[in-house]
Amino acid sequence: MSQRSCLSVILAAGEGTRMKSATPKVLHAIAGLPMVAHVVKAAETAGATGLALVIGHGADEMRKAAQKFAPKAETFVQEKRLGTAHAVLAAREAISKGYDDILVMFGDTPLIDSGALAAARRKLAEGTAVAVIGFRPPSPTGYGRLIEKGGKLVAIREEKDCSDEEKMIGFCNAGMMAVAGKHALRLLEKVDNKNAKGEFYLTDIIEIAGAEGLDVVATEAGFENALGINNRAELAEAEAIWQARRRREAMLSGVTLIAPETVYFSHDTEIGADTIVEPNVWFGPGVRIASGARIHAFSHIEGATIASNCDVGPFARLRPGADLRNKAKVGNFCEVKQATIEEGAKVNHLTYIGDARVGAGANIGAGTITCNYDGYSKFFTDIGEGAFVGSNSSLVAPVSIGKGGYIASGSVITESVPDDALAFGRARQKTIPGKGKELRERFASAAAARKKAAAE
Ligand code: UD1
Ligand code: CA
């Protein structure tokens, strides 16, 4: 099958009014990725070599988004929404390039599994002209019914055109199908709009192919594959299913999730075996974690790379560009952005490290802040290997602290510190013996005098 060329035609011209959104429906995200991009991924995994995106509503926004998630896709505008067959024909130019297989998919069906698509393509490889992906929903209302005779699919009847008897059929059209490229255009052009909705139905090619004596079959896929998103409640439902799948996959690949239902993954999260993720952790896009790390509860992590055996959180925030090397530690209430925390370095409590390097084995005391921004530009802080930064220090960038440098607590460091130097950036302490007691006595008698005066 891998030798067969395949064009995926993804229909996404619909308006999606029920989303009540200024954003086109199929650009709403699941796991941080537009739902139509999930569809593209499934098509590619099933071996699609070409991609045609049929757009209409919000065409400019769609084109712009497509450049990111499917840079190789060709886009075709369907000016008027006259039905699914009409929509596929909008991509006529791509179809006529002569692919072996055409996979028709919907942009609003993000949980489609590439295995179901591949199964339909296998039928084409065996000589079938059209292979429809069917499923059995809990309630078939609203779906096209698959009408079979002797193991062959003879028609798909849309709900509105069904007889009462046909409405009893539970086997339904998921919407997606694989069509042999050599027949596709001819079959599509024979479709008319003489039906209850007055639309050009893609599903009519089943009867048309049958009348030509071609072989037509239905394959069966799980319900989730066909879950179409029309509103934000369904979007959340799809998100939940996606997350459940991903958590299970992570656990089966050796990641411990103590309370899986509280951990949120992005579409591209990578986690190595023997990493432990505690409850209530959020992974935004672009996170890569190696093996043996521990992510403590309530951490918020995006765009970060975490090497083996790191320790993160609880309540850590790792922002894009955070790069933790082996055994680095970022503890509670710390924020790290665009910064490398080198091997074994510790940033344990209440700290902001941004636009910086923290050298191997360095120790950053509680409350340390890299002052990286002057309101206009960002500046870099370089902290050398083995340096010690005392608690509550402000490092005003650009500034560097040499290898083994030692910063006194409470310092404001504005000038670079050489290797192995000790730097104080605060007033020296002055201690006056007996002065504490004297002050206390003075304040107490003043307070007593005031109280007496008020009572008179
Ligand atoms: C379609 C199927 C139905 C199936 C159901 C599964 C047809 C005729 N019917 O019905 O058998 O059970 O999906 O969910 O195919 N679109 C366009 N341009 C158009 C029309 C549609 O781009 O002119 C796109 C829509 O944006 C959507 C997809 O095609 O992504 C499906 O269209 P929709 O109108 O939702 O079809 P259904 O009535 O749900
Ligand atoms: Ca639909």
Side-chain angles (χ1 to χ4, degrees), residues 4 100-104 119-133 146 151-154 156 173 175-188 202-210 212-219:
R4 294 174 66 91
D100 294 316
D101 300 349
I102 308 291
L103 267 180
V104 181
R121 288 192 64 203
R122 270 196 299 278
K123 293 288 176 194
L124 299 190
E126 290 164 19
T128 291
V130 185
V132 173
I133 299 177
L146 300 184
K152 292 289 165 197
L153 184 63
V154 295
I156 301 177
N173 177 22
M176 292 132 284
M177 58 175 81
V179 186
K182 61 184 172 198
H183 300 306
L185 281 180
R186 191 185 68 254
L187 296 175
L188 286 163
L202 169 65
T203 43
D204 282 357
I205 70 170
I206 306 308
E207 268 174 297
I208 295 167
E212 286 191 10
L214 297 171
D215 188 50
V216 182
V217 298
T219 60

Side-chain angles (χ1 to χ4, degrees), residues 37 136 154 158 177 326 330 441:
R136 293 177 197 278
V154 295
E158 291 308 298
M177 58 175 81
N326 281 345
V330 173
E441 284 163 3

Side-chain angles (χ1 to χ4, degrees), residues 10 12 20 33 38 52 58 78 95 97 169 171 212-213 225 242 283 287 291 295 313 386 407 421 430 446:
I10 298 172
K20 307 228 163 76
L33 189 72
H38 286 269
Q78 184 197 21
I95 298 168
K97 282 180 186 159
I169 298 171
F171 195 25
E212 286 191 10
N225 282 279
W242 190 95
F283 295 111
V287 174
S291 57
I295 312 297
I407 307 298
K430 191 174 162 191

Side-chain angles (χ1 to χ4, degrees), residues 353-366:
I353 301 289
D355 301 302
R357 174 186 77 104
V358 176
N363 191 309
I364 307 297

